[in-house]
Amino acid sequence: MSLRPVRQIIQPKPTIEGAGVKLQRAFGFGKTKDFDPFLLLDDFRNDKPQDYLAGFPWHPHRGIETITYVLAGSVEHGDSLGNQGKMTAGDVQWMTAGSGILHQEMPKGDQQGRMHGFQLWANLPSSLKMTDPRYQDIPSSAIPEVTDDDGTRVRIICGEFWGKKGPVEGVAADPNYLDISVAPGQQKRLKVETTRNAFAYVFAGSGRFRDASDARAVLTEEAADANAPAKYDVSNHSLVLFDRGDEIVVQAGDQGIRFLLVSGKPIEEPVAWYGPIVMNTQEQLRQAMAELQSGDFIKRR
């Protein structure tokens, strides 16, 4: 077994998207090689309705898949193909934009005004950039949850883990997308296929990811000395990018730790990116923008 070294710990950046939604961006618009096949991860967590109710009005997507996971509140969505629905706590929507879609996503808080969820973008390989759009709407009740003897709980959204398979299927990046909770003080070893890029996003509690490499300085909120030995401590709102290996080890803190563990097989193709459209060449981007202007963006079949 080879332990995955921690390559980097990243603190999300406050970002405003849509019609004024305040969120935290863990990564995006850069470092595509490090996260390949993933492009962006947003944490839209807020308890102030004025900071999210304006939502994400009509906008286009092409060449990617968007994965929305709601933890609190709800998100109503509709698109140019006539699809519409509502995601509530625990639900997942996996949208393959493919050749192009126009859609909107409008968040609402729970009874306490809280809204929390994640949106992850996965790239599509060149052979599937212009595939037909499709949705996979997954209710919370359809997502398997496994609890280990030590209290570790894992919700398996996509991929296989501990003998269970997530309900999202047929995704180009063949990802594993897990929601993991480790009890206070517990240490857990978790397998990740060596050929995949992998990251963890901590969104509750705190803990430490053991590292097989030599200690090196990593700036965190707790350690501002660039020459100090690396601790790899992570707390709420931290993204951990791993190097290669076939397992990670996490030590939960006093409050336990909850994080997304996401991995996928790299596509290793050129990325040409403009807002919600991700293609392989600048010429393909120009064509997409021209089709948006001319009304030919949506491919009717």
Side-chain angles (χ1 to χ4, degrees), residues 268-289:
E268 297 180 335
E269 292 182 350
V271 173
W273 189 345
Y274 183 81
I277 299 172
V278 183
M279 304 301 288
N280 296 109
T281 68
Q282 292 297 316
E283 176 56 34
Q284 290 169 340
L285 280 184
R286 285 192 289 270
Q287 178 180 343
M289 299 308 295

Side-chain angles (χ1 to χ4, degrees), residues 6-17:
V6 174
R7 183 188 301 182
Q8 189 178 8
I9 295 177
I10 301 169
Q11 299 302 320
K13 295 180 179 179
T15 304
I16 296 177
E17 283 290 357

Side-chain angles (χ1 to χ4, degrees), residues 9-300:
I9 295 177
I10 301 169
Q11 299 302 320
K13 295 180 179 179
T15 304
I16 296 177
E17 283 290 357
V21 178
K22 294 183 179 180
L23 51 81
Q24 298 284 326
R25 176 153 294 158
F27 68 89
F29 297 99
K31 291 201 170 185
T32 53
K33 183 177 179 181
D34 290 345
F35 292 95
D36 186 11
F38 306 108
L39 297 161
L40 173 150
L41 176 64
D42 282 343
D43 179 346
F44 48 95
R45 176 180 355 193
N46 211 307
D47 58 5
K48 298 178 180 178
Q50 67 269 27
D51 288 344
Y52 62 75
L53 279 179
F56 306 91
W58 293 98
H59 59 280
H61 282 296
R62 176 179 285 182
I64 64 172
E65 299 181 285
T66 66
I67 304 96
T68 306
Y69 181 26
V70 177
L71 293 181
S74 64
V75 178
E76 294 183 355
H77 66 89
D79 70 26
S80 52
L81 302 179
N83 298 303
Q84 58 183 359
K86 182 178 180 179
M87 290 172 282
T88 57
D91 295 348
V92 173
Q93 182 195 82
W94 204 292
M95 184 189 77
T96 303
S99 61
I101 202 163
L102 297 171
H103 78 151
Q104 64 174 353
E105 300 154 299
M106 305 305 289
K108 292 185 178 180
D110 61 14
Q111 291 183 343
Q112 287 75 46
R114 298 171 302 184
M115 178 67 222
H116 189 195
F118 305 101
Q119 187 165 95
L120 175 69
W121 291 12
N123 201 4
L124 283 169
S126 56
S127 60
L128 294 175
K129 288 287 188 188
M130 299 299 287
T131 192
D132 290 344
R134 68 166 182 153
Y135 286 91
Q136 297 181 69
D137 290 309
I138 312 295
S140 180
S141 59
I143 298 174
E145 183 172 303
V146 183
T147 303
D148 206 3
D149 293 341
D150 62 4
T152 300
R153 290 185 295 108
V154 181
R155 299 192 83 213
I156 305 160
I157 295 166
C158 186
E160 294 188 30
F161 194 77
W162 286 355
K164 297 287 186 178
K165 188 174 183 180
V168 178
E169 296 182 336
V171 179
D174 188 26
N176 272 29
Y177 190 126
L178 310 172
D179 176 354
I180 299 176
S181 299
V182 181
Q186 292 291 330
Q187 184 181 94
K188 200 68 184 174
R189 304 179 81 91
L190 303 165
K191 292 185 178 180
V192 181
E193 186 180 322
T194 307
T195 58
R196 296 169 175 265
N197 284 334
F199 66 86
Y201 182 72
V202 178
F203 62 94
S206 63
R208 177 177 297 184
F209 288 87
R210 257 184 56 198
D211 191 356
S213 66
D214 293 335
R216 66 184 190 279
V218 172
L219 296 178
T220 67
E221 292 178 355
E222 293 80 19
D225 181 0
N227 298 312
K231 293 197 304 182
Y232 301 118
D233 286 341
V234 290
S235 57
N236 205 342
H237 284 92
S238 294
L239 184 136
V240 182
L241 176 64
F242 298 102
D243 267 324
R244 293 301 171 89
D246 57 18
E247 68 174 3
I248 66 170
V249 175
V250 58
Q251 174 72 50
D254 293 340
Q255 303 299 315
I257 189 170
R258 186 177 179 187
F259 57 95
L260 304 179
L261 180 59
V262 182
S263 64
K265 295 179 180 178
I267 295 173
E268 297 180 335
E269 292 182 350
V271 173
W273 189 345
Y274 183 81
I277 299 172
V278 183
M279 304 301 288
N280 296 109
T281 68
Q282 292 297 316
E283 176 56 34
Q284 290 169 340
L285 280 184
R286 285 192 289 270
Q287 178 180 343
M289 299 308 295
E291 290 177 353
L292 268 174
Q293 294 294 322
S294 66
D296 297 324
F297 187 77
I298 304 301
K299 307 302 179 185
R300 305 287 181 180

